[in-house]
Amino acid sequence: LKLSTFGWIELDGLPNLRRDVQAASMNAVSNKRRDGNSTDLSLEALDTEYLNREPPSKRLKMASEAMTRLDLRGSGSPGGSESFEVDIAPNVAISAEWADVIDQVKNAIVAIRVTAVRSYEDCAAGVWDGTGFVVSLANPKEALILTNRHIITTGPIRARATFYEHDDLPIWPVYRDPVHDFGLFQFDATELRFTPPTAISVAPSELRVGTEVLVIGNDNAEKIQILPATIARTDRNCPEYHDNYEDENTFYAGAGSNTSGGSSGSPVIARSGNCIALNAGGAHEAASAFFLPLDRAVYVLEWLREHPNEIPLPPRGSLLARWLFQPFDMLRRLGFTPQQEADVLSIAPDASMSDRQKGLLVVENVIRGTEAEQKLKPGDVLLDVAGKPCLNFVMLEEQLDTAVDQEINIRLSRAGEIMNIVLRVANFHSLISHDFVECGGGVFHVLSYHTCKTYNIPISDRGIYVAQSGFSFGLQIPVSAVITSVAGRKVTSLKDFEAALAGVPNKEMFEVRWFNPSANEHRQKCSMIRMERTLWPARVWDFCPKRPNTWKRRSWVDECSISMEATSVKPEPVESSPVSDARSRASAEPDSDATPAPLREDDSFGYPENSDAAISMVQPMLCTIVTQVSHEYATDFLQSKEENKSTVIRRFGVGLVIDSVSGVVLTDRYTVPQPLVEVELTFGQTVTVNATCLFMHPHHNMVLLHYDTSAVKDLPVRSIDLDDGDESPKTEELSAGQILSFVSIHSDHQLSAKQVTVGSMCLKVWPFPQPPAYRGRNLEICNLNDTLHGLGGLLIEPAPSYRIRAWFAQFPAGSLRYLAGVPVQVFSAVLSSLGLRPKWAAKLGRPIDPKLSVAALECEFEEVSLAKARREDGVPLENARALAACSSGGRRQILRVGRITSGGGCDGILLEGDLLLSINSKPVTKPHEVEREMRKCHGPDAGSSVSSMCWRVQRSRQPVDLDLTPTLLHSDGTEHIVVFNGVVLRPTPRAVAERGGPTLQFTKPGQGLYFWYVYPGSPADTFSFADSRAMRNLGWLVQLNNEATPSIERLLEIIHSGKLSGCEWLRCHVMDAEGRLSVRALRPDFEFWPTVEIVRRKSTSDEYQAPTW
């Protein structure tokens, strides 16, 4: 049985039960018949004002006809409901009396949209819909709405209520029952403009078998639907949803109302106009619905009215045992004697047959680690509590609620033997967790009563529940795990957990012990976690149980003192500004990566010995790369289906040591997809060191990393030996059929070698990912005829030369990866264009240029056979001969311009379809030959100046001469991010222009505010900032209120200027990928969603320094 974001709960092999809450992410679909008429009966169909204009006989007929349109059957799912018409017998038709009742109560019923701003034990962060109804207007400023506990949840939420006349008001949680499925919201009734303030009386005494009722609520997320039912039973035990939270120790009523998602919290209305029960759930594949009796809800409401100035926590007691109602026949099987049964029946000898006692309460199970575990046994039959007969749940709870934190006498029957015991009544509120800690992107709180009950965990030693694992814990510890110790300290409370984490410095590794009860794994496991506070500052939220409930963020234990010692700058108060800069918030912790201590000479490991000479030669040039990216900050690439399910994306790859003296490694853009990533390099299966992104090639699948060489100085790391294309003899190109050796490295750091055969060489045109993300262009690749294993490696010649012929890397292909080789001539030429020439030892270790750039043409080439170009495009014979003469590798082809980057340097000069004949009078047939000519336009000492080139192209069957100036491109990837009300904004990626997106000023690469990800539970999620159907969760924020937002800097300027201060609503003008404009009204929440800026700090000097975030 599983609850998916408060959607449908399904259980194979058992009765399928569900809670009637509708996930807002599931688009509500109106159930329509094929004739287009609605099959749901809405309040509009029973407009009392309209009916009152007709005579009573006609009113009855009209109401009856409206009732026949009611959908009595359906699957209960938003998109797959099947319905048919039923002739309603006269005895079930809605009478005029029902119409009056509906008119009486409709203004009190509200559609509720709840946003969980953080993941918690009983829900994940997100948005869902439910129903509630006004039950108290005694204080209009603090009017109360009753709904289900699984709607209001126990974690921090934001909620709004929509009334019948379309008034939309914020509502605030004021009470969550610790055990039963009901809770209370508070709102200001004086703010209602169109809906008359109305309250529904609660009368649980009217709940009887045979009572005709209407369930009026937000069924299937449609505002105000009416479903009729007849109460079939009132003594059902609690439904079992097999979720963390389940109700207990109360009766439920049953009826066949066929309610569905969104109707949770709907009032069950009797003909008197009173609410007699609360709709809570139902069977998924049947019409059965479960209604909660409201005896304890009445008790809470009366207590709140009598104690208006006290904390809204009415006494709620528990014996820490689960009780079930069992009939006398079942009690006989448990040893209950006939005389004991007669004594019970004699308590009310004059009761009617329907009201006479039919059973008693029996202990089902007890909570471990409690007094009840020692004194109560499963099967005990409850007789008396505090000297008074206890015949049902109502009597039991009345006694317990009056004796909280006191000892109470209990008389019970155990296998027919009368026993008297004394138990202390626990305070139920103290067993429910509300405080929580955020650390490393995760959410943690003390394990609560209901999870302890579900997984049979001792409540006296509960541990810390992982509600959201986040970045630091995500790869090691799953959601729903229970942490028992941190950094060698046992944690049984949130203060223990907070103190243990506060003692761990930023970027340091620490030990965490945990177990996973949801997987039935109760043996403890040990994981090593790395502390991360730079992007995710540690925060503690304390629950304030006042009217209404709130959470207050406070300082981390000893954080302020540590911050003052480290920076001598006082931290900025949270409430002082809606902007919370991640840089200033993280200044308390050192920002540099921790590096392991260097090895002593006598501790040097060296590289593992290997009998394969090829592996022994290659392994000092290779390293294993492990990268980690947080899901919410994965802005530059697409994730696979498995990666989408995780909060942390981990990838493995291979690195080539380009410069062992300066510490430069070459890898691919699948392994390191963006600059905002944690990178670890492992050399020789011995030493692991952190690395930073030095340069990401904007067009090619190449990334340069930098690492601290002092950490590996005792390993014989060696730079790869490459031939440079400009100054050394030309290396022959790979050709099909060549037999070479392929040395690969695997994720476990092991190397392998095999003999392979070269298959083909081609200019690969990669498909465009959706949404737009990086894709390689203008790079020749090599394919093999053999099946490849591993993460990549080197293709080398056999002994004795062992010369490198190609580098095999992982290429991103949308959300997939593709393993292919890059010939040595190609990637050696790219390295040369960046000033990296690793062959000459004299040039190794020279200072790294902190402002690496490459001259590039922002167009994409395709290969076309020379024969096709001559026949279809009329390439002149002399040009064809020149192109054929410079072709190699058995291929005779010509380059055609396949795509031009919008707004790029050659946009408007080159045209799609142009055939490239020559550059500066030299015929070229391969992209790396084009780049060789461009390097001449931008020498290593040219700075930012780039000279032009003379191109001859074939256009419309005629040769055309063009002057083109290459564009100087710097490192690619996102280096500046702003999180604004839960939406992640970044400058427009280059991939949008390469795809041919809208050509506007703010859609140019590096401009505008492009959004890709929306945090679940954020204001952007609540108010559908990115409509998944129209926006596909990507687009641009072009205007905020009346202020244009052409860049991140402008957005921050608007926020800091105070122009948004005091704005209840923000008008966000957004544009989708097709250029359509729309407006989203968003209510900011700076308490839980402050504006966060994440920027990469680079060195401004001529000397290279590792960048930080």
Side-chain angles (χ1 to χ4, degrees), residues 322-362:
R322 185 185 180 209
W323 305 82
L324 291 182
F325 178 80
Q326 297 289 6
F328 284 119
D329 284 346
M330 180 61 70
L331 299 182
R332 290 287 185 92
R333 303 173 192 176
L334 299 176
F336 201 65
T337 65
Q339 182 59 45
Q340 293 170 350
E341 178 180 329
D343 293 341
V344 172
L345 294 176
S346 66
I347 296 175
D350 299 329
S352 63
M353 183 61 68
S354 60
D355 294 332
R356 64 182 296 184
Q357 192 69 20
K358 301 177 179 65
L360 291 173
L361 304 183
V362 178

Side-chain angles (χ1 to χ4, degrees), residues 154-156 176 434 436 541-543 550-553 1087-1088:
T154 56
R176 292 129 156 135
H434 295 289
F436 64 96
W541 295 86
D542 292 330
F543 177 65
T550 58
W551 274 259
K552 183 179 181 181
R553 192 173 77 184
E1087 181 179 9
F1088 283 100

